[in-house]
Amino acid sequence: MREILIRGAEVVVTMDAARRELRGADLLIRGGEIVAVGQGLVSTGEVVSAAGCVVTPGLINTHHHLYQTLTRAVPGGQDALLFGWLKTLYPIWARMGPEEIFTSAQIGLAELALSGCTLSSDHLYLFPNGARLEDTIAAAAELGLRFHPTRGAMSIGESAGGLPPDALVEREEAILADCIRVIDAHHDPRPGSMLRVGVAPCSPFSVSRELMRDAALLARDKGVMLHTHLAENDEDIAYSLHRFGCRPGQYAEDLGWTGADVWHAHCVKLSGSEIELFARSSTGVAHCPCSNCRLGSGIAPVRAMRDAGVKLALGVDGSASNDAGNLIAEARQALLLQRVQNGADAMSAREALEIATLGGAQVLGRPELGSLEPGKRADLAIWDVSGLEAAGAWDPVAALLLSGPTRVKHLFVEGRPVVQDGQITTLDLPRVIERANTLARALAR
Ligand SMILES: [Zn+2]
C-alpha cells in the first residue's frame, strides 16, 4: 500500500477534539488513511516536505451549482436581486448540454481544489439538451475530488406561476425516476466513499409541495441526504407566506425536510424559532457569504446559529452568483460578514477554519473527514506560508484567513495528490480553460 510521509510542517492544524495545533509535526498516510500525526515520524515510503507550510484538513464545500461556471459575470445579471438574476440567466442555461455541464464542472472543481477543497457537493437542477448528473460525476472522478452530487429539479414553470421558463422544468414522475436511477447507479454509502448522491429539488418556489414531500420519502427510503435552498432573502420569505401561508421553516418541517440527513443552503432569513428548530432536529446549513453579498440577500445569522448548536458549513454557491469558487476566501468572507453584523470578536479565524473543515464533514454526514487524526481519511490541504501573502505573519494559522495564501501548495484526497507545487496533476488545465471560454462564447450568441 502506498505510504506518504508529510514531513516537517510548521503547523499541523488537527481539528481534533482538543483542537490541537502541532508545531514541527509530520503526518503519515497509508493508502487513503491517516495512520499517524506527530513529531519525528519515519517511513520508508515517499516523503513530501511541508517545511514552511501549514497543514489543514481538506476544506469542504457544501453548496455549488458547478454548471454556472460558464455564466460568470453575465452583464444582465451582475446587479440584480435573486429573482431578477435567475430570470436573466435561465434562457442562457437552457442552451447548455452535456459538454457545457462537464466542462463547467471541470473548471469549478479545479478552482475549488486549488483553494484547499477536497470534498464538494453540487446542486444540479436543470438538465437541458440531454445533460445528466453523470456529466458532473465524470468531471469529479477525473480530477480526483470527493464528490456529493445532488439530483436537483424544477417542476413549476412560468405557465404554472413558477419562476423558471417551461423549457427548463421536468415532469415530477420523471424527476423521481431519475433520482432513483442515479442513486442506484452511483451512490456509495460506505465510509471513505468518494461519491454520494443526494436528492435536491431546487427550491420551494420551483417545485410542488407534493414533490418536496415525495423527494423526502424517496431519500429516506434510499438512505441518501436531502438538500435545497431555503429562506434566502426577503422575496423568498414573502413568496412562502403568500403561496404556502407559512414561513420556510414550517414548510420544511411539514414536508419532512428537517433532520440530520437534511441540509439547506443560505438560511439568511431564519427566525429565532427556525434556528431552534434546526438545532433541535440536527438540520444542517450551507452558509454562502459571498453569494449573499453578491445578490444583496443579507447577512445570515451565523453567530446565532452556531451558538444555538446548528450544524453549519460553507458553500461558495454557483459561480454565477459569487462569481468566484475559492473556498478559503469564502471562509474569510464568513468571518468578515459576522464581524460587520456582530462586532470584531464575533468570529475568530480558527472558528472560520473549523466551519470550513469539520463543519462541512458534520453537515454532509462524514465523521471520517474534517480532522487530521489516525483512522480518518487522508484529505488534506498544505499551504505554503513562507511566501508573499503570509510574509510578516505572527500566527500562520490565523494568517490563512486574514492574509493568505488563498491557493494550496499541495492537496491530497484519499491519500492521492490532486495538487502538487500549486499545479493540478490530474487535468490539462490550460486546455480546459480554453474549452470553457469557447463554450461560454457560444452560449453568448
Ligand atoms: Zn444555490
Side-chain angles (χ1 to χ4, degrees):
M1 207 178 278
R2 185 177 184 183
E3 195 169 278
I4 301 172
L5 178 64
I6 313 287
R7 190 161 64 194
E10 186 164 336
V11 187
V12 174
V13 182
T14 66
M15 286 294 164
D16 66 7
R19 302 291 185 271
R20 288 181 308 149
E21 294 177 3
L22 308 173
R23 306 243 154 207
D26 312 323
L27 203 141
L28 186 62
I29 299 169
R30 194 173 300 136
E33 189 179 305
I34 297 168
V35 292
V37 186
Q39 278 106 353
L41 304 180
V42 289
S43 166
T44 52
E46 209 177 315
V47 175
V48 174
S49 170
C53 294
V54 172
V55 182
T56 67
L59 274 49
I60 295 176
N61 179 43
T62 61
H63 187 63
H64 208 326
H65 312 288
L66 289 164
Y67 78 89
Q68 293 178 0
T69 312
L70 296 186
T71 50
R72 286 167 154 163
V74 170
Q78 285 175 16
D79 308 314
L81 289 175
L82 176 65
F83 284 14
W85 170 88
L86 283 169
K87 282 182 161 281
T88 301
L89 291 171
Y90 282 142
I92 303 172
W93 295 337
R95 297 199 285 274
M96 289 186 167
E99 195 181 357
E100 283 81 4
I101 302 289
F102 175 72
T103 306
S104 54
Q106 285 181 307
I107 291 283
L109 291 169
E111 193 181 7
L112 282 170
L114 287 168
S115 71
C117 175
T118 51
L119 161 60
S120 183
S121 64
D122 186 44
H123 188 184
L124 182 61
Y125 53 82
L126 39 84
F127 300 86
N129 306 305
R132 301 193 307 164
L133 198 67
E134 278 83 349
D135 301 320
T136 60
I137 291 174
E142 177 192 42
L143 184 62
L145 284 203
R146 227 180 270 282
F147 196 41
H148 283 211
T150 61
R151 206 295 182 187
M154 299 192 291
S155 64
I156 301 186
E158 266 174 330
S159 64
L163 208 60
D166 290 354
L168 278 179
V169 305
E170 300 174 273
R171 285 186 306 110
E172 299 199 337
E173 313 84 81
I175 291 166
L176 292 167
D178 199 54
C179 286
I180 293 169
R181 182 187 71 78
V182 292
I183 293 165
D184 290 348
H186 303 292
H187 179 70
D188 177 1
R190 294 172 296 181
S193 166
M194 291 294 290
L195 184 69
R196 289 199 184 160
V197 177
V199 173
C202 184
S203 64
F205 55 80
S206 51
V207 302
S208 73
R209 172 183 283 272
E210 289 68 36
L211 186 69
M212 290 294 286
R213 187 199 57 211
D214 291 349
L217 292 171
L218 168 64
R220 301 235 154 85
D221 183 50
K222 291 285 185 186
V224 303
M225 291 190 72
L226 284 163
H227 181 51
T228 195
H229 294 98
L230 205 77
E232 182 165 350
N233 68 3
D234 289 330
E235 286 174 299
D236 197 343
I237 303 293
Y239 185 94
S240 184
L241 290 170
H242 172 73
R243 180 115 180 171
F244 311 128
C246 64
R247 289 186 50 90
Q250 178 79 56
Y251 189 69
E253 188 180 26
D254 288 350
L255 297 174
W257 278 78
T258 49
D261 54 356
V262 183
W263 85 106
H264 294 288
H266 300 303
C267 299
V268 173
K269 298 292 175 180
L270 283 197
S271 67
S273 59
E274 287 170 325
I275 290 171
E276 272 172 43
L277 166 67
F278 276 37
R280 195 168 64 239
S281 58
S282 238
T283 306
V285 170
H287 173 47
C288 308
C290 286
S291 171
N292 298 158
C293 291
R294 161 79 161 79
L295 294 174
S297 300
I299 302 175
V302 166
R303 186 68 272 152
M305 287 193 267
R306 292 267 302 170
D307 291 346
V310 174
K311 291 186 302 188
L312 190 112
L314 288 181
V316 296
D317 203 359
S319 305
S321 70
N322 186 317
D323 296 349
N326 184 315
L327 195 48
I328 190 79
E330 202 70 34
R332 170 182 165 86
Q333 188 71 14
L335 172 156
L336 295 177
L337 213 45
Q338 287 313 298
R339 293 180 178 202
V340 168
Q341 188 172 56
N342 302 309
D345 59 352
M347 183 180 287
S348 70
R350 284 171 171 79
E351 185 177 10
L353 192 58
E354 179 182 318
I355 292 169
T357 53
L358 258 190
Q362 287 163 354
V363 164
L364 295 183
R366 301 299 302 258
E368 76 277 38
L369 306 176
S371 63
L372 302 178
E373 302 172 79
K376 301 283 173 133
R377 307 315 298 172
D379 288 8
L380 46 121
I382 303 180
W383 310 85
D384 184 353
V385 291
S386 69
L388 180 65
E389 299 93 332
W394 291 35
D395 175 350
V397 177
L400 277 183
L401 283 293
L402 297 175
S403 62
T406 60
R407 279 197 168 203
V408 289
K409 182 175 187 187
H410 307 301
L411 187 83
F412 288 87
V413 182
E414 189 67 8
R416 293 184 285 263
V418 173
V419 179
Q420 276 181 316
D421 291 316
Q423 302 296 320
I424 302 261
T425 60
T426 46
L427 274 190
D428 179 356
L429 197 56
R431 193 192 59 77
V432 176
I433 293 168
E434 194 184 324
R435 186 72 200 135
N437 284 327
T438 302
L439 291 169
R441 276 193 298 273
L443 284 173
R445 277 201 289 272

